[in-house]
Amino acid sequence: MNCSVQVELPNLSTWREKEDSGSILLQPIWDFVTSKEHVIRSPFYPVIFSFSVYMFFCLPYLALDALCHKIPALKKYQVQPKSRPTLAMVLHCLAHTVYSHLVFIFPLSVAYWYWRPVDLPLVAPKLHRFILDIVACLLLFDFQYFAWHLLHHKIPWLYKNFHKMHHKYTSTFVLATQYSSAWEMLSLGFFANVSPILLGCHPMTEMAVFIVHIYLSVEDHCGYDLPWSMHNLVPFGLCGGPNHHDLHHEKFVSNYAPYFTHWDKLFNTIAQKKDQKKP
């Protein structure tokens, strides 16, 4: 009687796919994103995504502004408790944001879409690489913005023609985040988009960096120092936060970095509110 034992050898290609696979945590999310590739490939997608994410992060703070005078307990979280945006201010800034997205961001996003067509890999990035790349992009942008911001305050012509508009409101509120000149919005948008490209980031990382940028810029201008604000979660005073940036709008002469504090400390341009304890 002839007996044969069949031994199933491991499929080399399958083993390589597993070896090259992305993070177990990130892959399901990335699979969902790639399933919507037909939407992401649309030239309308970038401007709709940008505006939607921005408004998504703004709405909770707009709700706080509306409730603050009815719920006194919220006052303790306000950076400037005596100041409150009016409906006219909110509508003015909102109209400006819509105008900027339609007139400036949309044409440039179409040009970018044409120059750099969407090409989504099947595999998500490794988790450690994903996190490290996000931190690296934030640090690079922080330097770029600090240098840009410092120049636009130290050179009167640049300040008057390009940056002064953003300082219309000396007390920050959330929709003042994108109340800026076309030059400011486009140049800072360029820094935010070019950093992941320079660092060779995965498309998933590029998307995440974009979302984090919007969230942090909204948080900087929100006018509320909440327990979960980034500067309250990151130790050693490494991050600025709403107090840090609101003081820049109030005094104009300090706190030029957007997220972190090391450049302001290095150039001796850091300042704190009198009632804010030093880290």
Side-chain angles (χ1 to χ4, degrees), residues 95-254:
H96 178 78
T97 299
V98 173
Y99 173 82
S100 297
H101 276 76
L102 291 176
V103 176
F104 301 113
I105 296 178
F106 176 61
L108 283 176
S109 64
V110 171
Y112 182 78
W113 165 83
Y114 180 79
W115 169 67
R116 194 168 180 251
V118 175
D119 183 20
L120 304 181
L122 294 177
V123 178
K126 298 286 187 182
L127 183 60
H128 71 278
R129 178 66 188 273
F130 178 74
I131 295 171
L132 288 174
D133 280 349
I134 290 176
V135 173
C137 287
L138 293 178
L139 288 170
L140 179 56
F141 176 83
D142 197 70
F143 166 72
Q144 293 166 331
Y145 185 92
F146 174 81
W148 184 98
H149 202 184
L150 189 63
L151 284 173
H152 281 70
H153 272 269
K154 297 300 182 183
I155 301 175
W157 183 82
L158 289 176
Y159 179 82
K160 180 181 178 182
N161 290 282
F162 299 115
H163 187 52
K164 185 178 180 180
M165 181 178 179
H166 186 60
H167 279 279
K168 176 180 175 67
Y169 301 105
T170 55
S171 175
T172 54
F173 67 99
V174 68
L175 284 179
T177 304
Q178 292 189 1
Y179 188 77
S180 56
S181 67
W183 164 253
E184 179 164 350
M185 180 174 284
L186 296 177
S187 55
L188 298 183
F190 172 78
F191 293 148
N193 282 284
V194 79
S195 296
I197 297 174
L198 290 175
L199 296 175
C201 295
H202 189 282
M204 184 178 189
T205 309
E206 290 186 38
M207 294 179 185
V209 167
F210 182 78
I211 293 171
V212 172
H213 273 311
I214 293 180
Y215 172 73
L216 292 179
S217 60
V218 164
E219 184 185 82
D220 268 357
H221 293 84
C222 72
Y224 292 89
D225 186 0
L226 298 167
W228 55 84
S229 296
M230 190 173 77
H231 73 289
N232 289 324
L233 301 177
V234 178
F236 311 119
L238 296 174
C239 298
N243 274 308
H244 181 85
H245 194 70
D246 185 83
L247 189 59
H248 170 75
H249 275 259
E250 187 180 353
K251 303 296 184 183
F252 301 95
V253 292
S254 58

Side-chain angles (χ1 to χ4, degrees), residues 65-69 75 78 80-86 89 171:
D65 286 336
L67 293 171
C68 214
H69 70 291
K75 285 282 184 184
Q78 281 188 295
Q80 293 194 41
K82 294 181 180 179
S83 177
R84 180 170 169 260
T86 64
M89 292 162 63
S171 175

Side-chain angles (χ1 to χ4, degrees), residues 13-51:
S13 63
T14 303
W15 179 82
R16 282 177 178 168
E17 284 176 8
K18 288 182 178 179
E19 193 69 16
D20 295 335
S21 65
S23 163
I24 295 174
L25 293 174
L26 297 180
Q27 191 62 50
I29 302 172
W30 187 240
D31 288 340
F32 173 78
V33 172
T34 53
S35 71
K36 309 298 180 185
E37 189 169 355
H38 62 288
V39 176
I40 298 173
R41 284 182 177 275
S42 166
F44 299 97
Y45 172 78
V47 70
I48 294 173
F49 181 71
S50 172
F51 183 77

Side-chain angles (χ1 to χ4, degrees), residues 249-265:
H249 275 259
E250 187 180 353
K251 303 296 184 183
F252 301 95
V253 292
S254 58
N255 301 352
Y256 298 108
Y259 307 145
F260 304 102
T261 56
H262 56 278
W263 289 112
D264 281 309
K265 289 175 181 176

